[in-house]
Structure formats: C-alpha cells, structure tokens
Amino acid sequence: MMLSEAEDESAVVFPALEREYNTLVPTQRLWNKINDSITEERQSRPFWQKAWAYVSFGVMTPSLVAAASLLIVVGISALMLVNRQQAPVQNAPMTASVRPSNITPPSPTAALPRGSDDAIVPDQVSSVPTTGAYRVERADYRQTAGRGALRTTRVDPPAPADASTVMPGEESYVKTIASLSRSVDEQKDDALRGAERVSFERDMAVVNDAITKMRAEVKKDPKNESAKQVLYSSYQNKIDLLSSISQKEELVASLK
Amino acid sequence: MLPKSKKLIAVLAIAVMTVSLAAAAFGQSQPKPAPMPPRQERVPSPPGEEESGDHERAIKTDAGINLSLCVIQGEVRVNGWTRNEVRMLVIGGSKFDFKVQQKSQRSGDPVWIMAVAQTADGDKMRPVSDCIRGDEIEIDAPVGATLNLKGRDAAVTADGIRRVSIRNAGGDISVRNITDGVTAVTYRGDLMVEESSGAMSLETTTGNIVVFDAGPSEIGDIFKTKTTSGAIAVQKIGHRQIEVNSVSGTVTYSGDILSGGSYSFWTSNGSIKLSLPASSSGTITASYGYGSFNCELPYKLATENISPGPVKSIVGTLGTGGNASLRLTTNNGSISIKKL
C-alpha cells in the first residue's frame, strides 16, 4: 500500500521536475576554469582602468557632482580673495629690482667710436637703484606695446653743430644730410631687411669715418685740395646712401 | 599657522577639487568620435585679384614701340625679334591686357603701350593694380623697342632690344645686346651688362656690378655705375666718360684709356685695380688714405704728397701724356695699375 502510494507520488513529481533534472549543469572542472579566467583577466587589467572604474563609479551620483562643483566655486573664490589681498604688493614693481653693483654704467655716448654719428643706443637705459635692501621680487615680464624688437634711436650726428664749425663749401651738404637723415630714421626700420640694414649701417659708418677724417684734415690744412675733394665726395656718398632708402620706399609704394 | 602654509593648503585643496571635477565631468561624458577633418573649401579669390594661370597676348605695334610695365614678382625675360609685334606670356600669374597710350600718326600703330594686370569680377573686367605678377613673364618685342620696367621683386633679363630702363626694389638685372642705352637700378641684387652700347647708368645698393664689352652709341654718352655694398668689375668699355663708384667694395677696370677720356674710379673702403695696355697715356691723379700706390706702367711723377695723414696723393703722367685723365681715389685700400 505504502509502496503504491509512493510510486503514484513519484509519477506525479518526476514529470513535473523532469525539466530541472535534465538541465545541463557545468561540471566542477568547468567552474574552476571559468573562475580562473575571470581572476586572470582582473589581474591583467591595468591599474588606471581599475582606478578609473572606481572613480567613475564613485562620482556618477549627481549629488556628489553637485557637491564637488560647490567646493570648486568656493575654492576659486578663496583663491581670488587671496590674490586680491596680495595684488598691490605684486604689481608695484614694474621692473625687476637689481642688486646694486659696483659697476658704473657707461655713458650712452662715451663708448661711441669716433665718427659714428649713426651709432645706435637703446631707448631705455635701466636705472640702477643705489639704495635699499636686497630682496627678491617677482619680475614683470609683460611686453610693452608694439613689436618685440628692440626699439632704437639714432643718435644725431655730432658733426657741424653750429654755423661756426661748418666749413665753407659744406653747408649745403650738411643741410641736405640733416633733412634726409630725419626722414630716413623713420623709414629704415621698415624699409631695410636684416642683411640690408647691416650693410646700410656698415656703409654709413664707413662714409662717416671718411667725413670725420677728411674734415679734420681740411681744418688742419685748408689748402689740401685732395682732402677737400674726398670730403665732398664722401658727403655726396652719404647723401646718395640716405636717398637710396627714400627712393626704394617710393618705388615700393608706387607698385602697390 | 603661518600665512604661507595657509596659502599652500588652499592651493592644494583647489587643485584637488579641480582634478576631481574634471574627472567627474570626463567620466560622465560620452566618448566623442574623432572630429571630421575640415572640409577643404575652395577659397575664392578676393575681389580684385586674379587667379593664377597662364595668359598670353600679342599686339601689332610700331617698330620703335615703348613698352611699360610694372611687375610685383616674377622672372622677367625680354627678347628682341624682327616682327613689329609685342607678344607677352605670363606663366602662373595674373591676367593682363595691353593698354595703348599713344599711336603713331603716320602708321596708326601703337608706339607706346602699357601691360596692365586685369582682374575678373563677375562679368566685368576691372583693373585693381597695374602691376603684373607671375612665375615667369616672357616678352618678345621688336628690336627697336624700349622697355620701361618697374619691379618690386623681379629678376629681369633683357636681350636684343634698343633701350632698357629698369628700376627694381629687389632682384638681379642682366642685360645684353642693348643698342641705345641702359638705365638699371636695383636696391638689392646684382647687375650685369654685356655687349651693349649707349649711355649707361647702373646702380645697385647691395650687390655687385659686372660690365663688359660696352661702348657709346653716340658721342658723349656717359658710363656711370655705382654700388654701395659690392664690387664693380668693368672690362672693355668704349665710353670716354666713365664714373665708377663703390662705397665699400673693390673696383676693377680692364681696358683701354681713350684719348680725351675722363676716368674716375672711387671707393671708400676697398682697392682699385686697373689693367691697362702698355701704350696707355694720360694724367693720373691718385688719392689714397691707408694703403699704397703701385704702377707697373712707366709714369712721370709730377707731384707727390705722402706725408703721414689720412690723404696721400700722387699726380703723374702716364706714357706720352695725352689728354686723358684718370682720377683714382680710395680712402682705405690700395691702388694698383698693371700691364694688360
């Protein structure tokens, strides 16, 4: 009786569980292999990927992002406040202070070679403080307006300054050269390229040297006709040299 | 706590927060595809500027045509031919046209034309700048033609026409077989003239000058050449009035001294070297500063001033005398006369 009841129950239960019993279950060996592969793959991942996964998971929440943003805003405000308090101290020195030295700065004109009336000196000569304690400050490297190149100023020719030093026969040359020099000074920075500028300055120095020497010679011996001839020719060369700049500029302007 | 430490902590905190925010923003953002390369749009030529191309034109002219043009950039070659026609080819440059300035009353053919650049602006052709640009510009002109050329950056070669007048801001100039005068000025470049005649005025600011086989086409034609920075070499010149001037460069002359001629060679900083035939005669006036005077030809010394100083001078008679005069001046260099 009992056996028959048990068989009847089995007949009901086994068909119902047949699907479960017949499902393929991985063997223990397969499970071990799968677990090993997962472990190996985790270990082979680079560190930055692990870190990135952690960070991205941590900050994906909107509330955390909002809190971080708030902190950033507060931090930037604090930084601006700190900078504002220190601003007057930083912006005060517009140039770097230099420790006073024992070297005496040379006079801008003292080192000029004789006859170099076209010598170039910087526009600004750095002032050297003579008093004050030595301290390190932040230099202000902001560039001044205009091109980055060193702006130069042409030193006016020292030759014939007044009418008494102008020798007979050279007045017209001196006047012409003076007027040409003024216009050329404005043009030569733009008109001459690097190599041309070097050639121009060199030739001008050559001509000026000749003028200086010949003037001295003519002053010493006014009857020296050869010296006079060379002097006048040198003046003419200087005029031609200066004129060439203007003529070139005129030519280029006419072609635009 | 020191203010310095406070500041350091504040800066560190801000840096950490900035990095965190950047990381969060980066983590939430979707990976963007790589930007597409910018599409290469064909940029239209600005109004008033012609696209580069090859352009050719020809015009029937008078035999003594005067051709004027200005060139912004390019290599210009001018050749003379026996046809009374001007043909011009611009390779890789602007479109142009001939503008007739004057016609011959006798034949009605143009005697003065200008080659001017033109630009395409819709259907209208309107010139913006007269100046032509191109990689190469070839011109064929009658052998009796006169060329007036202004250039900004042009290398010019002229061959076989009557007269040339060239002013160039930069670029070499080379002319040959010009029959009635050469005026050439370049402010940066070399000058070369060969087998030409007529009055000559050659000037360069930065460059060398070479002239050989030149002579006058009329009595009284002057040969004048000058460079500021460069050497001058002159050979076989038939002019009787010669002025050679260099500010800083050597001056070299090789040729005859013609009777009644006036020869002036000047350099401020360089040597003067003459190669003359043994039969040369004339009056020599040599001035030199720091240098020396050497003459291989026999000469008779008239006056000599070689006292210490910036100027030394020698006046003498070369050969049998004659009425030619040579004036040689250098401030810083030597003077030498050698037998040719």
Side-chain angles (χ1 to χ4, degrees):
Chain A
M1 183 67 184
M2 293 278 290
L3 184 62
S4 63
E5 285 178 0
E7 285 176 348
D8 289 342
E9 285 178 3
S10 298
V12 173
V13 170
F14 275 105
L17 297 175
E18 187 179 9
R19 192 177 172 188
E20 295 294 324
Y21 287 141
N22 290 337
T23 304
L24 290 175
V25 176
T27 62
Q28 187 60 39
R29 188 181 166 196
L30 191 58
W31 270 120
N32 289 339
K33 198 173 181 182
I34 290 168
N35 288 332
D36 289 344
S37 299
I38 291 169
T39 310
E40 190 179 348
E41 191 178 349
R42 277 183 183 168
Q43 285 175 350
S44 63
R45 281 174 79 183
F47 169 77
W48 63 270
Q49 277 189 356
K50 293 176 190 171
W52 174 244
Y54 177 77
V55 170
S56 60
F57 178 77
V59 298
M60 282 290 274
T61 54
S63 57
L64 190 60
V65 172
S69 305
L70 187 64
L71 279 173
I72 291 293
V73 170
V74 171
I76 290 172
S77 303
L79 185 65
M80 287 175 68
L81 192 67
V82 169
N83 279 342
R84 200 173 170 186
Q85 285 172 352
Q86 292 184 352
V89 179
Q90 285 184 346
N91 292 338
M94 293 303 289
T95 56
S97 295
V98 183
R99 187 181 183 180
S101 66
N102 294 328
I103 302 169
T104 308
S107 167
T109 54
L112 292 180
R114 190 171 55 141
S116 61
D117 56 353
D118 286 293
I120 296 168
V121 295
D123 260 350
Q124 295 176 343
V125 178
S126 300
S127 58
V128 180
T130 52
T131 58
Y134 170 50
R135 61 185 181 134
V136 178
E137 290 181 3
R138 185 179 297 176
D140 187 357
Y141 290 111
R142 282 183 298 179
Q143 290 190 343
T144 53
R147 292 186 298 181
L150 176 70
R151 304 295 296 176
T152 57
T153 305
R154 182 177 175 274
V155 178
D156 285 336
D162 53 60
S164 61
T165 60
V166 176
M167 293 186 295
E170 64 174 7
E171 299 94 342
S172 59
Y173 287 117
V174 172
K175 281 180 185 172
T176 307
I177 287 169
S179 70
L180 280 171
S181 296
R182 277 194 293 275
S183 62
V184 166
D185 284 345
E186 296 166 2
Q187 295 177 340
K188 67 182 178 184
D189 284 338
D190 300 324
L192 299 174
R193 297 178 190 178
E196 291 175 295
R197 179 68 183 270
V198 170
S199 297
F200 173 81
E201 299 293 354
R202 185 194 61 201
D203 295 333
M204 190 57 79
V206 167
V207 172
N208 285 329
D209 183 56
I211 289 173
T212 307
K213 285 175 181 170
M214 291 306 143
R215 284 193 86 246
E217 187 66 20
V218 172
K219 259 188 173 179
K220 200 164 70 178
D221 181 10
K223 292 181 181 176
N224 190 337
E225 292 300 322
S226 298
K228 277 185 183 174
Q229 201 64 41
V230 175
L231 175 63
Y232 298 149
S233 298
S234 298
Y235 273 130
Q236 189 58 50
N237 276 337
K238 186 167 181 175
I239 290 170
D240 293 344
L241 200 54
L242 293 169
S243 301
S244 67
I245 307 294
S246 306
Q247 288 167 0
K248 183 185 176 185
E249 278 297 285
E250 284 174 16
L251 176 63
V252 171
S254 73
L255 296 173
K256 284 177 181 172
Chain B
M1 195 179 283
L2 292 171
K4 209 169 183 179
S5 306
K6 278 184 183 174
K7 187 181 170 188
L8 186 64
I9 289 168
V11 169
L12 279 174
I14 288 163
V16 168
M17 283 188 285
T18 307
V19 170
S20 303
L21 185 65
F26 186 73
Q28 289 181 351
S29 63
Q30 293 296 323
K32 290 181 181 176
M36 292 289 286
R39 194 176 165 188
Q40 294 293 326
E41 294 283 350
R42 190 173 179 277
V43 181
S45 297
E49 199 163 300
E50 173 62 25
E51 295 172 17
S52 292
D54 299 348
H55 308 284
E56 183 176 15
R57 279 187 178 274
I59 184 171
K60 184 178 181 296
T61 63
D62 191 77
I65 183 69
N66 189 321
L67 171 63
S68 302
L69 75 157
C70 67
V71 176
I72 295 288
Q73 189 180 14
E75 187 179 337
V76 184
R77 288 191 294 271
V78 183
N79 293 294
W81 63 1
T82 54
R83 296 159 68 174
N84 292 342
E85 179 184 325
V86 172
R87 170 192 159 274
M88 187 163 154
L89 169 65
V90 176
I91 298 173
S94 49
K95 202 167 186 176
F96 68 96
D97 200 359
F98 291 119
K99 189 176 169 186
V100 177
Q101 298 287 99
Q102 189 178 340
K103 287 187 176 181
S104 167
Q105 291 182 345
R106 186 167 48 83
S107 64
D109 291 332
V111 292
W112 180 17
I113 59 172
M114 289 181 72
V116 292
Q118 286 196 325
T119 56
D121 186 10
D123 293 330
K124 297 176 183 176
M125 302 289 286
R126 62 180 180 88
V128 170
S129 169
D130 285 346
C131 297
I132 296 167
R133 67 173 73 236
D135 296 334
E136 293 178 36
I137 299 170
E138 288 185 11
I139 301 171
D140 293 314
V143 290
T146 297
L147 173 71
N148 287 299
L149 188 146
K150 288 198 294 183
R152 192 164 77 186
D153 195 3
V156 184
T157 306
D159 185 359
I161 58 176
R162 189 166 70 93
R163 188 181 297 167
V164 296
S165 174
I166 301 167
R167 289 191 71 208
N168 204 357
D172 298 341
I173 298 174
S174 173
V175 298
R176 64 191 299 270
N177 287 325
I178 305 300
T179 56
D180 195 20
V182 177
T183 302
V185 179
T186 179
Y187 294 99
R188 188 187 66 255
D190 296 334
L191 268 170
M192 192 169 85
V193 177
E194 57 178 309
E195 296 176 11
S196 298
S197 55
M200 293 191 190
S201 174
L202 315 171
E203 191 175 332
T204 176
T205 302
T206 308
N208 303 317
I209 299 176
V210 177
V211 184
F212 60 96
D213 256 351
S217 60
E218 291 179 4
I219 295 170
D221 279 346
I222 298 173
F223 178 89
K224 191 175 179 180
T225 181
K226 180 171 187 173
T227 179
T228 304
S229 295
I232 301 177
V234 179
Q235 190 175 5
K236 291 185 185 175
I237 303 295
H239 296 78
R240 277 186 159 77
Q241 192 170 343
I242 293 175
E243 292 177 29
V244 179
N245 191 333
S246 173
V247 172
S248 57
T250 298
V251 170
T252 309
Y253 175 81
S254 177
D256 295 336
I257 299 296
L258 302 175
S259 172
S262 171
Y263 298 82
S264 172
F265 301 96
W266 165 285
T267 177
S268 286
N269 189 23
S271 300
I272 297 174
K273 299 173 182 176
L274 305 185
S275 297
L276 307 178
S279 59
S280 300
S281 59
T283 304
I284 296 178
T285 304
S287 299
Y288 58 99
Y290 302 97
S292 59
F293 177 80
N294 295 304
C295 183
E296 288 183 1
L297 300 180
Y299 70 100
K300 190 177 175 183
L301 191 65
T303 61
E304 185 179 33
N305 175 15
I306 52 171
S307 58
V311 181
K312 302 174 183 66
S313 61
I314 289 174
V315 179
T317 306
L318 196 66
T320 58
N323 51 6
S325 74
L326 285 87
R327 179 174 292 277
L328 318 171
T329 307
T330 174
N331 292 338
N332 191 11
S334 59
I335 297 173
S336 66
I337 301 174
K338 293 186 176 179
K339 197 182 290 184
L340 189 63

